[in-house]
Amino acid sequence: MARKAKIEREKRLQRTVDRYAKLRRKLKANHDYAGLSQLPRDASPVRLHSRDELDGRPHAYLRRFGLSRLNFRKLAHEGKIPGIKKASW
């Protein structure tokens, strides 16, 4: 489980990115790099970090499912992820 402060920071960053997304697209289309540099640093989507939807774990993140490998494995064994089953041969 990630610290609550880290999870909240990621949410704040996401809100900032969303707020400036339209303006960033417009400035980039016009090649106005001076205008882009005036935006807050946190408005850049590159600064976002992927985290597990359930517990906020930042490492071993599976993008396709939005989960860490630990939670993916647990939910897959419980049969709660459609189309996923444990391999056996």
Side-chain angles (χ1 to χ4, degrees):
M1 181 81 183
R3 287 186 3 218
K4 295 292 183 188
K6 293 286 188 178
I7 295 170
E8 292 304 316
R9 179 178 184 274
E10 287 295 325
K11 289 178 184 175
R12 181 183 54 81
L13 278 173
Q14 184 63 54
R15 286 193 303 267
T16 304
V17 168
D18 293 343
R19 184 179 327 136
Y20 288 99
K22 190 174 179 183
L23 179 59
R24 282 183 65 82
R25 273 194 303 273
K26 189 176 106 179
L27 291 173
K28 285 184 96 164
N30 295 334
H31 302 291
D32 183 8
Y33 299 112
L36 275 172
S37 68
Q38 297 299 314
L39 294 178
R41 282 186 177 187
D42 286 345
S44 175
V46 173
R47 294 174 71 95
L48 292 176
H49 196 260
S50 300
R51 289 184 174 270
D52 186 326
E53 293 291 323
L54 298 179
D55 63 5
R57 180 183 166 87
H59 298 291
Y61 177 78
L62 301 174
R63 186 181 307 170
R64 182 173 175 186
F65 300 99
L67 299 169
S68 68
R69 65 178 176 82
L70 304 174
N71 286 324
F72 174 79
R73 182 179 164 90
K74 185 179 104 182
L75 293 175
H77 281 297
E78 294 171 1
K80 295 185 178 175
I81 302 177
I84 303 295
K85 60 183 176 182
K86 187 174 187 298
S88 116
W89 58 89

